[in-house]
Amino acid sequence: MTKRVAILGSTGSIGTQALEVTKAHPDNFEIEVLTANNNVNLLIKQAKEFLPNTVVIGNKDKYQELAEALKDLPIKVYAGEEAIAQVVEMSTIDIVLTAMVGYSGLLPTVNAIKAGKHIALANKETLVVAGDIITKLALQHKVSIIPVDSEHSAIFQCLAGEINNPIDKIILTASGGPFRGKNVEFLKKVTRCQALNHPNWSMGDKITIDSASLMNKGLEAIEAKWLFDVKPEQIEVVVHPQSIVHSLVQFKDTSIKAQLGLPDMRVPIQYALSFPNRLSADFPKFSFLDYPQLTFEQADIQSFKNLTLAFEAMKKGGNMPCILNAANEIAVDNFLKENIGFVEMSSIIEETMNKANFIASPLLDDYVQSNDEARRIASTIIENKI
Ligand code: MN3
């Protein structure tokens, strides 16, 4: 049976790889909706090739260009964030791949779940910000949230067939990023260009900076807490520079299951879209002979403060992870614009966490407001610095 797929964020790193995966399996997947934030040229090219029912561009200024380019094709064209949040409700969609960047993934994901669509979740910030609401909604509307993040896909695969066997511990592996083994003095001087140069994974700018600062692993710990219903104490981070063991689960009998492979996002993307089946693929194959040494070490939480901040936010709960995430998005954006240094990102996030209003049991609206408030606070801190 063909699955009809909506890809939110089709022009990004995950989105383009997802299209590559679906293209290789035309009998299994049909592209129903494509959305992009800003990259109108690539969206036009994708629309012409995959002929979806509907395309949406987030930036309304690009609507004319998009509509004009597609006017001879039977494709509906919309623009704006509201349109992205609405289009996921279309009756002809089976699964929504959420691959947009940051907080913007939240409302479309909420709407998609309410409309009964399965979610292939690549936007971890959705669960970081409002994991309680998202997981409750998914249960209520009987939809699956299938992780695309490689670590969570690994854990999800390890848990297949373990329905009544509780998890003792989740072990998230981290590559350590480009600055593994460096101290704070070094980190203070790193440039935008150095931080964007990840050793193992090719990804978008935001997540690449998060990987370099280890915030990505902190966000992933929070993501894991919600996806697998575990306590913060049950989540351990281990640095594994080769990025071959994608993550592990330990069960009550001390047995550990791991999922391995070359670092290639097409594998977890394809699994999330084809779940519960596995489709064939011609991706490069892992060989132990190419990797005689797989190594593991402790994360340096002294130099990489973001990981500690994320665990603190997770333990505090309520809207604190939402505040952490918002402050981080502002910090990363300003680091990319070279307004602030690498280490300053952590101090801005910490200060925002101290200043923003804490809410123990937030509703969706509270999250929307906390996100705005934390962004304002973080932006003000940065303005006062520069
Ligand atoms: Mn990951």
Side-chain angles (χ1 to χ4, degrees):
M1 220 183 69
T2 312
K3 274 188 199 169
R4 296 163 300 179
V5 184
I7 303 180
L8 309 186
S10 67
T11 58
S13 172
I14 296 287
T16 50
Q17 293 180 81
L19 284 172
E20 197 186 316
V21 163
T22 59
K23 191 178 171 177
H25 299 278
D27 295 340
N28 300 87
F29 306 113
E30 203 177 305
I31 299 298
E32 198 61 15
V33 173
L34 295 176
T35 82
N37 187 33
N38 216 24
N39 190 344
V40 70
N41 291 328
L42 184 53
L43 185 60
I44 290 167
K45 190 167 166 269
Q46 292 175 339
K48 285 180 174 170
E49 180 176 357
F50 292 91
L51 298 174
N53 178 301
T54 302
V55 297
V56 188
I57 183 89
N59 181 349
K60 287 180 178 170
D61 296 341
K62 306 271 171 91
Y63 173 77
Q64 279 308 331
E65 193 181 347
L66 181 62
E68 180 63 26
L70 302 178
K71 70 176 190 310
D72 296 329
L73 294 166
I75 300 174
K76 296 186 200 84
V77 180
Y78 301 101
E81 278 180 33
E82 310 76 26
I84 294 176
Q86 275 168 19
V87 77
V88 295
E89 297 169 5
M90 273 170 45
S91 63
T92 49
I93 298 171
D94 297 312
I95 185 165
V96 177
L97 172 66
T98 64
M100 60 273 276
V101 179
Y103 174 84
S104 64
L106 179 62
L107 296 179
T109 308
V110 167
N111 284 358
I113 295 172
K114 284 183 177 167
K117 312 303 180 192
H118 294 296
I119 305 292
L121 186 105
N123 176 261
K124 69 191 74 176
E125 289 88 345
T126 296
L127 283 179
V128 170
V129 170
D132 54 344
I133 289 178
I134 295 292
T135 47
K136 266 184 219 145
L137 273 178
L139 265 178
Q140 198 183 328
H141 293 273
K142 298 190 173 62
V143 307
S144 321
I145 298 180
I146 308 150
V148 171
D149 211 346
S150 60
E151 297 79 358
H152 305 74
S153 176
I155 295 161
F156 189 78
Q157 293 177 56
C158 291
L159 291 175
E162 302 282 1
I163 295 163
N164 293 314
N165 298 328
I167 296 167
D168 190 48
K169 191 166 76 180
I170 280 173
I171 303 163
L172 284 178
T173 53
S175 70
F179 308 134
R180 183 174 62 91
K182 305 295 187 195
N183 60 20
V184 177
E185 285 316 303
F186 180 93
L187 293 178
K188 278 181 180 164
K189 297 190 198 94
V190 303
T191 62
R192 175 185 191 277
C193 186
Q194 287 173 302
L196 282 174
N197 191 12
H198 196 277
N200 302 347
W201 295 96
S202 161
M203 308 174 288
D205 286 357
K206 199 262 176 181
I207 183 172
T208 304
I209 300 302
D210 283 344
S211 296
S213 74
L214 292 199
M215 180 55 93
N216 183 52
K217 213 46 60 180
L219 300 178
E220 288 181 351
I222 303 173
E223 182 186 10
K225 169 190 148 62
W226 292 114
L227 278 172
F228 307 114
D229 192 21
V230 292
K231 298 190 177 72
E233 305 77 54
Q234 289 174 285
I235 305 170
E236 187 178 310
V237 171
V238 172
V239 173
H240 166 48
Q242 298 82 18
S243 295
I244 296 299
V245 179
H246 295 316
S247 277
L248 316 88
V249 181
Q250 183 157 45
F251 296 93
K252 297 284 182 196
D253 62 355
T254 72
S255 183
I256 293 180
K257 280 165 88 172
Q259 187 262 344
L260 285 73
L262 292 173
D264 185 337
M265 282 310 295
R266 292 173 300 179
V267 180
I269 291 168
Q270 176 169 306
Y271 185 73
L273 292 176
S274 68
F275 175 80
N277 303 314
R278 289 185 189 270
L279 301 176
S280 58
D282 57 5
F283 311 142
K285 284 180 185 166
F286 169 74
S287 161
F288 278 100
L289 302 181
D290 297 333
Y291 289 84
Q293 288 202 344
L294 297 177
T295 60
F296 302 87
E297 62 197 46
Q298 217 163 27
D300 174 5
I301 53 171
Q302 307 304 348
S303 307
F304 296 88
K305 192 115 201 271
N306 280 354
L307 191 56
T308 309
L309 292 173
F311 268 82
E312 275 172 25
M314 171 164 56
K315 284 175 186 159
K316 179 95 180 173
N319 64 339
M320 198 52 89
C322 171
I323 295 165
L324 168 100
N325 178 68
N328 181 57
E329 288 189 21
I330 295 292
V332 170
D333 188 45
N334 278 279
F335 174 74
L336 284 169
K337 289 175 178 153
E338 301 181 306
N339 290 334
I340 58 170
F342 191 78
V343 173
E344 277 177 299
M345 289 196 286
S346 300
S347 53
I348 289 156
I349 295 161
E350 187 170 21
E351 203 176 324
T352 307
M353 286 168 70
N354 290 333
K355 282 185 176 162
N357 222 348
F358 178 68
I359 307 171
S361 307
L363 303 172
L364 186 57
D365 264 358
D366 298 321
Y367 284 122
V368 173
Q369 278 168 31
S370 288
N371 173 65
D372 286 345
E373 187 199 12
R375 278 166 195 271
R376 268 197 312 274
I377 294 171
S379 300
T380 307
I381 298 168
I382 293 167
E383 275 160 33
N384 292 338
K385 275 182 196 281
I386 56 181

